[in-house]
């Protein structure tokens, strides 16, 4: 974890605050566009937020938090109780939404989904690659960073207020793209579903705030062998690997517990996992909060 101080907090749109976290013990860890951090809140909750500042600024991180009254307490605490000067721990940045080289980019953002995409625009401009942004929200008042976007990237950024203009025509956007252009999309589930129905899967990169609803085979029991400690942990059908490890004295850091943040990654040494996450576990890794086993036993590096 990294120690930071809340240097600045301000409301930047209806229901959205921006936080600037400044390192207290020297430069913060480097990051690239698309990265996010875990923010450990004083109410014992940990939440994930995309970094939306300048990657070249090693002294501070910027995030934005939308207030969700139906949340599990993270955004409620940020909006009601966090004040300037508070010390907060944050994780090292993780990036499951990296900007990879392409001849052209189309960025699609919905609401608070602008946060991981915001740093991608200057990165694309610095590389000399054509890029455009379509930023969708109910109204400009609810959409953070619109002034910043229009002042810096007004020639390539299009702001779409659905109350007045309806939803953008994704098929028309697709028709004007380079055949090998990449599309980056972050926003609510209906926007992601529309993008997935419009753009080729191999050209589309998405970041989700909520897991996709899927149907899996019924859970079966398995055992997890912790290679370093030599302990074997039984994982019953009604318990996650994450919880079973915690109860057995092998706690794994976790955040969303829904397979979208990647904070509970464990190294898999043997066995066949059943991946149920939404970010695509790399080879030899699995996310303990949702993934299970296809084999009777998994060996993990714990």
């Amino acid at each position: 974890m990294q120690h930071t101080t809340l240097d600045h907090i301000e409301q930047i749109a209806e229901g959205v605050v921006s936080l600037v976290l400044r390192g207290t013990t020297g430069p913060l860890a480097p990051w690239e566009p698309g990265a996010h951090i875990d923010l450990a809140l004083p109410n014992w909750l940990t939440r994930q937020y995309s970094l939306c500042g300048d990657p070249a600024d090693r002294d501070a991180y910027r995030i934005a938090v939308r207030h969700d009254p139906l949340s599990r307490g993270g955004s409620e605490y940020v909006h009601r109780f966090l004040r300037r000067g508070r010390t907060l721990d944050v994780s090292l940045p993780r990036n499951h939404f990296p900007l990879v080289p392409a001849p052209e980019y189309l960025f699609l953002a919905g609401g608070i989904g602008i946060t991981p995409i915001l740093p991608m625009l200057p990165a694309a401009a610095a590389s000399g690659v054509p890029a455009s942004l379509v930023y969708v929200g109910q109204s400009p008042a609810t959409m953070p960073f619109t002034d910043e976007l229009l002042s810096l990237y007004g020639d390539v950024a299009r702001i779409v207020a659905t109350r007045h203009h309806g939803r953008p025509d994704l098929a028309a956007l697709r028709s004007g793209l380079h055949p090998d252009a990449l599309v980056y999309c972050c926003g609510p589930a209906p926007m992601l579903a529309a993008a997935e129905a419009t753009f080729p899967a191999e050209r589309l990169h998405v970041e989700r705030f909520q897991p996709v609803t899927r149907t899996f085979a019924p859970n079966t029991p398995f055992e997890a062998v912790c290679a370093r400690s030599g302990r074997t942990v039984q994982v019953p059908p009604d318990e996650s690997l994450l919880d079973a490890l915690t109860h057995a004295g092998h706690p794994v850091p976790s955040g969303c517990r829904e397979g979208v943040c990647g904070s509970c990654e464990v190294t898999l040494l043997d066995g066949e996992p059943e991946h149920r996450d939404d970010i695509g576990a790399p080879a030899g890794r699995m996310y303990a909060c949702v993934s299970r086993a296809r084999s009777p036993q998994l060996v993990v590096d714990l």
Side-chain angles (χ1 to χ4, degrees), residues 29-30 46 65 76 82 101 112 122 129 132-133 142 163 168 174 192 196 212 215 248 250 270-271 273 286 302:
T46 299
V65 182
E76 182 83 4
L82 274 190
I112 199 65
V129 174
S132 58
L133 166 70
T142 66
R163 286 181 183 173
R174 176 183 175 179
L192 300 183
E196 289 172 330
V212 176
T215 300
H250 287 287
D270 194 22
M286 64 183 295
L302 291 171

Side-chain angles (χ1 to χ4, degrees), residues 44-67:
W44 303 102
L45 294 177
T46 299
R47 294 292 180 263
Q48 295 73 45
Y49 299 105
S50 296
L51 291 167
C52 57
D54 180 2
D57 183 1
R58 295 286 304 281
D59 294 323
Y61 290 156
R62 182 175 71 168
I63 61 174
V65 182
R66 181 177 294 282
H67 184 208

Side-chain angles (χ1 to χ4, degrees), residues 204-279:
L204 179 65
H205 297 253
V206 300
E207 171 127 299
R208 303 182 187 278
F209 296 135
Q210 300 292 334
V212 176
T213 300
R214 298 188 182 95
T215 300
F216 295 100
N219 291 348
T220 56
F222 65 97
E223 60 183 28
V225 177
C226 300
R228 278 183 276 160
S229 70
R231 294 190 61 182
T232 297
V233 177
Q234 302 299 323
V235 185
D238 59 350
E239 190 172 39
S240 69
L241 173 60
L242 178 67
D243 287 339
L245 289 171
T246 299
H247 296 154
H250 287 287
V252 175
S254 64
C256 70
R257 303 179 72 90
E258 295 180 320
V260 296
C261 80
S263 60
C264 63
E265 179 182 289
V266 296
T267 299
L268 182 67
L269 301 177
D270 194 22
E272 183 182 1
E274 181 184 12
H275 297 296
R276 298 183 178 184
D277 61 89
D278 283 289
I279 53 180

Side-chain angles (χ1 to χ4, degrees), residues 1-9 19-25 28 38-45 77-78 81-91:
M1 298 295 280
Q2 305 177 89
H3 303 298
T4 70
T5 298
L6 180 55
D7 184 68
H8 187 71
I9 182 169
L19 285 69
V20 175
L21 304 165
R22 192 163 297 278
T24 59
T25 58
L28 293 167
D38 299 336
L39 175 65
L41 296 169
N43 63 347
W44 303 102
L45 294 177
Y77 188 92
V78 170
F81 301 112
L82 274 190
R83 297 293 183 268
R84 184 176 184 272
R86 184 79 196 217
T87 299
L88 298 166
D89 286 343
V90 303
S91 70

Side-chain angles (χ1 to χ4, degrees), residues 100-192:
V100 299
E104 183 182 0
Y105 297 106
L106 171 63
F107 301 114
L108 301 174
I112 199 65
I114 189 63
T115 51
I117 286 175
L118 194 60
M120 294 185 178
L121 280 170
S127 67
V129 174
S132 58
L133 166 70
V134 178
Y135 180 18
V136 184
Q138 291 185 346
S139 70
T142 66
M143 302 167 69
F145 304 117
T146 52
D147 290 344
E148 179 178 331
L149 284 166
L150 291 175
S151 65
L152 296 175
Y153 307 103
D155 56 335
V156 297
R158 175 185 166 199
I159 309 299
V160 180
T162 56
R163 286 181 183 173
H164 307 293
H165 306 116
R167 302 191 181 280
D169 185 342
L170 298 188
L173 292 172
R174 176 183 175 179
S175 67
L177 289 176
H178 186 287
D180 294 323
L182 293 184
V183 180
Y184 280 76
C185 183
C186 184
M191 169 179 270
L192 300 183

